[in-house]
Amino acid sequence: MRKHVIGALVVTMALGLSACGSGDSGGDGGETSGKGKTLTVWIMEGTNPDPKPFFNEVAAAFKKKTGATVKVEYQQWATAQKKFTTAIEGGPSQVPDVAEVGTTWIPQFAETGGLVDVTDKVKESGLGDDLVEGLADAGTLDGKQYGMPWYAGVRGLLYRKDIFEKHNLKAPTTWKELRDTALVLKEKEPEMISFPVAGGAEMFATPFVWGAGGELAVDEGGKWKSGINSPESVKGITYYTDLAKKDKLSPAKVTTWTEKEVATDFQKGKIAMSLSGNWTPKAFVQAAPDLEGKLAAAPIPGETGGMSKSFLGGSYLSTFKGENQDLAWEYVKLVTTGEFATKWAEQTNYFPGQNSLLKEVQAKADPLVAPFAKQMTEAGATVPKTPAYGQIQATQVVTKMIQSILTDKQTVQEAADQAAKEMDKIFAS
């Protein structure tokens, strides 16, 4: 997912209640008065093709409840991390009241002291037990929760149902079946990429690391150490890269592809099966209407059965330490729960961050949604929860490793050892 992700479910901040909260109890139309106040909200662009009507509706409901005006400022994922960092360094006057931030950024921003621990506020609200475990965990550091889960995304297996039916194929349930199915597709549909091994897509490689029992990194007594070159991790990386190197299921041009290029070719009808996010089926059909009814999904198969873990990412809606924390918390609750949480999930095809709302999604039994929901609830995983991992992602340690293997510059072990050295250097800095 872009830095989400989930971002990619592609990556979050905190809200809270300070002693110098923004309003008095019993204010105009709500628990916290915001009469005469303006709440500044930063929202990332890209999740919802047209978010303005949604946030206009939220703003109207919030003003009716609290009397406060809401000013939404839309931010770009590519530049947001730097903008947040600069704002935090500038102090309370520079930061927004409420912000959407990808889950993988929580450790960095929590460490700076810009976020508020809202563990008690979540408990008081009665929402804590209803939060999706994997997503709640992504926003919790050292036992403290920094914000409210808003929406989530996870990658699963997306494939062309019509092509599979044409050749009497079923969704693979093991790594062997995944390879065998892709080999059949390579033979029967030579004009299509049977399974792209995208060298620029970190979250395409990690399920095979986790699926083999490996880890990106491990916490050893409070100190992080890379696990990318362990025997288990190397086994998973070898399987994944061999699909391209030995089985030739993925052409050389895919070596540098990110998820964006995979999506483009999938929409053009050039890919038969791929890892893909739960938000993509709806987007693919919108971009290419001829794909309507031709897509199917399944969880990412485990090595010998079950599921391989997949990165569970998304966004929290949270606040910085500032003057309007009471008011900000009211806004966060309004957006992340109930009617507006459901509406956002329906508009974006991402999953809500609460089990009760997620169950409503699952109950609809949509064949293009249910497999992803199963993947998320039963086999969702997070990257190491340390500020250093943000730097590891920024320097593309994992994707450089995969690309080095695919281009025969290094063996799997050599590339993994090199990646481990780079990770450990960053962890120690």
Side-chain angles (χ1 to χ4, degrees):
M1 179 169 55
R2 44 181 216 282
K3 282 183 181 176
H4 15 119
V5 204
I6 163 234
L9 249 270
V10 313
V11 306
T12 61
M13 310 288 293
L15 337 113
L17 175 64
S18 70
C20 55
S22 65
D24 301 319
S25 296
D28 288 359
E31 298 174 2
T32 302
S33 174
K35 187 176 181 179
K37 295 182 179 294
T38 298
L39 204 66
T40 301
V41 179
W42 286 5
I43 297 296
M44 299 299 110
E45 288 189 332
T47 305
N48 188 327
D50 186 12
K52 292 182 180 179
F54 174 86
F55 284 104
N56 287 341
E57 188 178 354
V58 172
F62 190 69
K63 186 159 190 176
K64 181 177 180 181
K65 179 180 181 181
T66 68
T69 298
V70 178
K71 178 183 179 183
V72 177
E73 298 177 359
Y74 297 97
Q75 309 296 331
Q76 300 290 330
W77 281 104
T79 56
Q81 186 175 16
K82 183 177 180 180
K83 186 168 184 176
F84 277 124
T85 301
T86 301
I88 292 171
E89 291 173 349
S93 65
Q94 301 299 308
V95 296
D97 296 299
V98 179
E100 173 196 353
V101 183
T103 51
T104 59
W105 291 350
I106 281 185
Q108 176 187 348
F109 295 132
E111 188 178 62
T112 65
L115 310 186
V116 180
D117 168 17
V118 295
T119 306
D120 291 340
K121 293 295 292 181
V122 174
K123 288 181 180 178
E124 290 171 9
S125 70
L127 299 171
D129 292 339
D130 195 31
L131 301 182
V132 173
E133 183 178 357
L135 192 59
D137 180 66
T140 303
L141 187 66
D142 297 329
K144 298 177 180 179
Q145 186 172 333
Y146 292 96
M148 272 289 289
W150 182 17
Y151 64 86
V154 71
R155 289 160 188 80
L157 192 67
L158 188 68
Y159 60 93
R160 285 285 299 273
K161 181 174 65 172
D162 58 328
I163 300 297
F164 271 54
E165 290 175 347
K166 177 181 176 182
H167 302 297
N168 225 7
L169 297 171
K170 295 182 179 180
T173 60
T174 66
W175 285 7
K176 182 180 184 304
E177 289 181 7
L178 175 63
R179 176 177 179 269
D180 290 346
T181 300
L183 286 170
V184 171
L185 290 167
K186 177 188 174 185
E187 178 188 355
K188 301 293 186 181
E189 300 289 341
E191 299 302 313
M192 301 182 81
I193 299 174
S194 59
F195 188 80
V197 178
E202 177 182 343
M203 298 311 171
F204 278 17
T206 51
F208 298 100
V209 172
W210 288 321
E215 295 289 348
L216 298 173
V218 292
D219 185 351
E220 297 182 346
K223 294 184 179 180
W224 284 91
K225 181 175 177 57
S226 174
I228 199 71
N229 62 339
S230 72
E232 296 83 3
S233 296
V234 168
K235 180 181 180 181
I237 297 166
T238 299
Y239 170 83
Y240 179 60
T241 54
D242 275 356
L243 295 175
K245 289 186 60 181
K246 291 187 176 181
D247 296 321
K248 308 299 182 183
L249 300 172
S250 181
K253 66 180 181 179
V254 183
T255 298
T256 58
W257 278 12
T258 65
E259 293 186 55
K260 180 179 179 180
E261 286 75 30
V262 174
T264 297
D265 260 34
F266 209 123
Q267 292 167 20
K268 291 179 178 179
K270 296 181 179 180
I271 292 176
M273 174 176 61
S274 178
L275 298 190
S276 200
N278 61 283
W279 57 93
T280 61
K282 185 174 182 178
F284 287 0
V285 171
Q286 287 177 339
D290 60 316
L291 289 178
E292 181 76 48
K294 296 179 180 180
L295 302 179
I300 302 173
E303 183 179 3
T304 58
M307 290 177 279
S308 291
K309 292 181 180 178
S310 181
F311 174 64
L312 169 59
S315 283
Y316 270 50
L317 202 59
S318 314
T319 67
F320 291 94
K321 292 180 179 177
E323 297 179 355
N324 294 321
Q325 291 178 40
D326 285 350
L327 201 58
W329 177 249
E330 292 300 319
Y331 184 86
V332 169
K333 286 195 296 183
L334 183 65
V335 176
T336 61
T337 63
E339 173 192 354
F340 286 115
T342 300
K343 185 170 292 189
W344 183 259
E346 290 174 346
Q347 290 182 12
T348 64
N349 227 38
Y350 279 85
F351 291 123
Q354 295 163 66
N355 287 308
S356 58
L357 298 179
L358 183 59
K359 287 179 181 178
E360 292 179 12
V361 173
Q362 291 175 300
K364 296 179 181 178
D366 185 329
L368 285 175
V369 174
F372 290 108
K374 182 177 178 66
Q375 178 80 59
M376 186 177 86
T377 56
E378 298 181 26
T382 61
V383 298
K385 292 191 292 182
T386 165
Y389 203 78
Q391 186 177 347
I392 288 170
Q393 288 186 310
T395 53
Q396 300 182 328
V397 173
V398 174
T399 55
K400 286 189 301 183
M401 173 190 72
I402 296 298
Q403 290 172 354
S404 179
I405 297 166
L406 293 176
T407 55
D408 289 320
K409 292 181 180 178
Q410 292 178 301
T411 66
V412 175
Q413 190 66 60
E414 288 171 344
D417 287 343
Q418 176 64 32
K421 286 182 181 179
E422 291 182 35
M423 283 187 179
D424 288 338
K425 184 177 180 180
I426 294 172
F427 285 139
S429 63

